[in-house]
Amino acid sequence: MATGETGFDDVTYDLVSVQYHALKAGHDYGQYVRDARNAGKDEIAAFFEQVMSEDSARAQQCHRFIAELTQHQGTSATAPQGGTDG
């Protein structure tokens, strides 16, 4: 498996990135729901809640994949490789 500049394999890095962005967006969507509710736009608030739920599911799926990868790290090198400190 290819290892990117971070020392983690590209797939693990990509999953962590998607998970982070899904969680961050989910946090932001909470404000969007409140804004829509305060404006009396219940249909739009429901849309934001749906999007928030989808991002939550996306983050959970990433979490499962990351757990699977780290369980197999002995065979697929998902963790950074230790360097020499001199």
Side-chain angles (χ1 to χ4, degrees), residues 50-80:
Q50 176 187 346
V51 172
M52 186 168 38
S53 176
E54 291 167 357
D55 268 339
S56 176
R58 191 170 296 113
Q60 290 173 9
Q61 184 64 50
C62 286
H63 187 77
R64 286 190 291 271
F65 284 140
I66 292 166
E68 288 175 17
L69 289 174
T70 56
Q71 287 175 355
H72 299 97
Q73 74 182 20
T75 59
S76 63
T78 58

Side-chain angles (χ1 to χ4, degrees), residues 21-48:
H21 290 289
L23 292 170
K24 173 72 171 97
H27 179 268
D28 294 341
Y29 295 146
Q31 182 61 52
Y32 303 166
V33 170
R34 287 188 295 278
D35 291 346
R37 293 257 185 254
N38 290 339
K41 306 293 184 186
D42 291 337
E43 185 177 6
I44 295 171
F47 167 73
F48 288 136

